[in-house]
């Protein structure tokens, strides 16, 4: 992790999306762990570090989670669950046109990664510290989201809206656009979030060489 990104993440407040985890000690533990894991890495964080900030004894923390690995597993699961529900909500308002749908997903994907950078870092990078068993619930959710994107790409290709060399490679590239946001982006007057969202939509359409089918509306 770059020192610039780590410094920025340490300075910013690590928060979980509203309603993703009920208020209480469990949420406090997850939010403190989120800040540590994002800025210091999973292996660079100890239970003692988290307990000190929480003003708890390590044994009290273990009464909520069996291990540090289980805390990370829960954060990663919550992250993928929030991501999946955000994509599904975006699609519900997008209509049936594949171009409108992929644009809606690009907007939602970008906005989520920029709004919750700590969670984005932990979900996409620290997941590799988990055993296969603890990572499995999150990976199952991720697979469902990827299947959703692939279905839209397949339908877009079949309708002549998209021209892409490979659906799986394209879906992964579209995902990567959002994944890297915490590494470089910070909202500013020069590049506010709405402008970044519009840029990512344009890049998505260029990547897909998107073309409207006869009678299609504008993006």
């Amino acid at each position: 992790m770059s020192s610039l990104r780590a410094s920025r993440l340490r300075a910013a407040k690590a928060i979980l999306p509203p309603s993703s985890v009920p208020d209480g000690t469990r949420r406090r533990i997850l939010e403190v762990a989120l800040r540590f894991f994002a800025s210091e890495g999973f292996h660079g964080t100890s239970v003692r570090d988290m307990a000190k900030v929480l003003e708890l004894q390590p044994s009290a923390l273990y009464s909520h989670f069996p291990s540090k690995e289980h805390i990370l597993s829960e954060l990663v699961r919550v992250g993928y669950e929030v991501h999946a529900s955000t994509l599904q909500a975006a699609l519900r308002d997008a209509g049936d046109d594949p171009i409108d749908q992929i644009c809606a997903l690009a907007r939602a994907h970008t906005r989520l990664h920029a709004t919750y950078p700590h969670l984005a870092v932990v979900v996409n990078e620290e997941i590799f510290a988990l055993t296969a068993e603890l990572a499995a619930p999150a990976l199952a959710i991720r697979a469902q989201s990827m299947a959703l994107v692939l279905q839209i790409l397949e339908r877009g290709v079949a309708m002549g809206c998209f021209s892409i060399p490979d659906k799986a490679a394209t879906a992964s590239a579209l995902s990567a656009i959002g994944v890297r946001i915490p590494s470089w982006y910070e909202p500013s007057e020069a590049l506010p979030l709405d402008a970044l969202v519009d840029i990512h939509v344009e890049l998505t359409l260029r990547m897909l060489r998107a073309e409207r089918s006869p009678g299609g509306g504008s993006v």
Side-chain angles (χ1 to χ4, degrees), residues 7-208:
S7 176
R8 189 164 64 235
L9 291 173
R10 288 190 197 101
K13 184 179 180 181
I15 57 172
L16 292 168
S19 303
S20 60
V21 179
D23 289 336
T25 302
R26 188 178 177 90
R27 184 183 179 97
R28 286 182 59 229
I29 292 171
L30 289 172
E31 290 192 333
V32 167
L34 183 61
R35 177 171 67 82
F36 273 112
F37 293 165
S39 60
E40 311 300 329
F42 175 77
H43 293 297
T45 302
S46 70
V47 170
R48 188 172 298 277
D49 293 332
M50 294 185 287
K52 182 177 180 180
V53 172
L54 289 159
E55 299 183 341
L56 295 173
Q57 292 296 319
S59 58
L61 192 148
Y62 285 127
S63 70
H64 292 275
F65 293 95
S67 68
K68 186 175 73 165
E69 288 79 6
H70 282 81
I71 298 175
L72 175 60
S73 176
E74 180 67 2
L75 283 171
V76 172
R77 184 197 64 77
V78 166
Y80 275 121
E81 194 170 73
V82 168
H83 183 256
S85 63
T86 299
L87 297 187
Q88 291 161 5
L91 280 183
R92 284 195 293 271
D93 298 328
D96 297 326
D97 185 88
I99 295 182
D100 289 338
Q101 290 178 337
I102 209 69
C103 288
L105 293 189
R107 292 187 186 97
H109 184 66
T110 298
R111 195 171 293 278
L112 188 66
H113 280 74
T115 304
Y116 300 102
H118 296 79
L119 192 58
V121 168
V122 170
V123 165
N124 292 301
E125 299 183 15
E126 299 304 316
I127 188 174
F128 300 106
L130 293 174
T131 63
E133 180 181 4
L134 286 177
L139 292 178
I141 298 171
R142 183 176 72 176
Q144 293 172 359
S145 295
M146 186 61 72
L148 191 66
V149 175
L150 286 169
Q151 289 171 7
I152 295 171
L153 293 181
E154 288 171 359
R155 199 158 60 85
V157 169
M159 293 173 62
C161 300
F162 305 147
S163 177
I164 55 179
D166 181 87
K167 290 185 286 292
T170 302
S172 294
L174 291 175
S175 175
I177 290 177
V179 167
R180 302 307 302 168
I181 286 175
S183 296
W184 69 272
Y185 179 67
E186 191 165 5
S188 65
E189 290 186 8
L191 186 60
L193 179 53
D194 286 345
L196 178 65
V197 169
D198 290 341
I199 290 169
H200 279 194
V201 169
E202 181 180 348
L203 291 173
T204 295
L205 294 176
R206 290 185 182 186
M207 190 183 303
L208 301 179

